[in-house]
Amino acid sequence: MANNKVKQIWASGKAVVNAWLAIPSGFSAEMVAQCGFDSVTVDMQHGVQDYLSMVQCFQAMDKHPVTPMVRVPWNEPGVIGKVLDGGAYGVICPMVNTPQEAKNLVSYAKYPPQGVRSNGPIRAGMYGTAGSYQKTANDEIVLLPMMETKTAVENMEAILDVQGIDGVYIGPSDLGFSYGLEPKLDRSEPEILKIYEKIIKECDKRKLNPGIHCSGAEGAVRAINMGFKLVTLSNEVGLMATYAKMQVNQTRKDSAGKA
């Protein structure tokens, strides 16, 4: 398995800029892969992606220097093994609330002796010579459990102590939601910012890399300056819709009522 660019960026002390794909299309994945992102994550949880469309996205991105990752729909061994076999270099896993759930994630994603992942890297095996993938997969694959609930925050240190994870990924909408706040991305509530600070501090102590979902560049820059090591810029649907609305509104406004 080739070296994971995400891990190389982290080793250099920089933050990773991550894209997010909700559209089940190799064509849009191919376009996004050329926009300058470090990694591109196929969203199988809230996106309209399935396993086949994930593979198509990976195939379309193959010739571009981006790390292919996946957010799986849930923490269970079937889908985690399958996305890794399909070529994912990173797994973001939702709703990991306890150290046991984090341990389960690690065991599903790693080959023996560290885990129980079944052998059969049908596409992933193409990234090296026969049999070479299995030798390095355990070290190269990035594992980020999502910290997005009050329960997870209460178990923060115990979750971060689990061997085999590379950090955590914050879902700001769900996190705020579980504290009785409205679900949105770029949060400014003091109680949530305090949680972010603690997550960053505890990750730092353990040489782990905290990631977070942002609505765009402004929120991403704020997050990087706070100490986050992976920032996601909205998703391709959000970026497309935001720009389209801007163009339509400008056309109507600047044509002085003629449109």
Side-chain angles (χ1 to χ4, degrees):
M1 182 174 191
N3 289 342
N4 192 330
K5 191 182 165 193
V6 166
K7 291 202 164 182
Q8 289 170 336
I9 293 168
W10 283 338
S12 79
K14 287 189 166 177
V16 169
V17 181
N18 179 51
W20 203 259
L21 302 179
I23 301 170
S25 159
F27 176 58
S28 49
E30 187 177 34
M31 293 297 113
V32 168
Q34 295 172 65
C35 293
F37 291 99
D38 299 312
S39 55
V40 178
T41 300
V42 173
D43 184 11
M44 288 177 73
Q45 186 193 13
H46 292 305
V48 193
Q49 301 275 9
D50 61 18
Y51 187 72
L52 269 182
S53 68
M54 176 206 85
V55 169
Q56 283 156 2
C57 288
F58 284 179
Q59 288 168 328
M61 302 188 306
D62 230 9
K63 59 186 178 293
H64 305 292
V66 292
T67 300
M69 307 210 298
V70 179
R71 174 165 70 172
V72 291
W74 204 245
N75 189 10
E76 60 89 23
V79 73
I80 290 166
K82 213 162 154 61
V83 301
L84 291 170
D85 289 346
Y89 268 53
V91 175
I92 296 173
C93 181
M95 295 287 176
V96 175
N97 294 317
T98 65
Q100 187 55 55
E101 287 172 0
K103 283 178 188 155
N104 292 349
L105 170 64
V106 172
S107 83
Y108 302 156
K110 306 262 188 199
Y111 288 126
Q114 287 104 308
V116 297
R117 180 180 167 194
S118 169
N119 178 51
I122 179 150
R123 267 199 85 249
M126 302 187 318
Y127 294 136
T129 53
S132 70
Y133 172 84
Q134 290 86 341
K135 289 186 181 75
T136 54
N138 280 3
D139 294 327
E140 290 297 333
I141 282 155
V142 166
L143 281 185
L144 296 175
M146 289 190 72
M147 198 164 269
E148 51 182 348
T149 66
K150 203 173 173 177
T151 313
V153 170
E154 283 158 5
N155 291 322
M156 184 191 300
E157 278 120 307
I159 289 171
L160 294 175
D161 281 337
V162 171
Q163 291 303 299
I165 65 169
D166 295 281
V168 286
Y169 188 83
I170 311 303
S173 292
D174 276 310
L175 184 62
F177 216 11
S178 84
Y179 280 87
L181 303 163
E182 63 163 310
K184 62 175 186 174
L185 285 176
D186 299 333
R187 312 213 70 101
S188 53
E189 302 91 346
E191 69 266 40
I192 300 291
L193 294 181
K194 233 169 54 208
I195 293 167
Y196 290 175
E197 274 161 36
K198 185 162 194 233
I199 288 170
I200 291 161
K201 197 179 88 201
E202 295 298 333
C203 281
D204 248 15
K205 260 192 229 170
R206 297 164 174 80
K207 294 189 167 46
L208 295 172
N209 303 282
I212 190 167
H213 211 100
C214 309
S215 66
E218 210 181 301
V221 170
R222 258 203 317 275
I224 290 168
N225 289 335
M226 279 181 79
F228 281 101
K229 291 294 179 189
L230 180 142
V231 290
T232 300
L233 304 185
S234 181
N235 62 17
E236 86 290 53
V237 176
L239 297 174
M240 179 170 72
T242 301
Y243 192 69
K245 277 179 203 156
M246 196 180 92
Q247 292 289 325
V248 171
N249 293 341
Q250 198 180 328
T251 303
R252 295 204 191 280
K253 191 170 117 263
D254 294 351
S255 63
K258 291 182 200 142

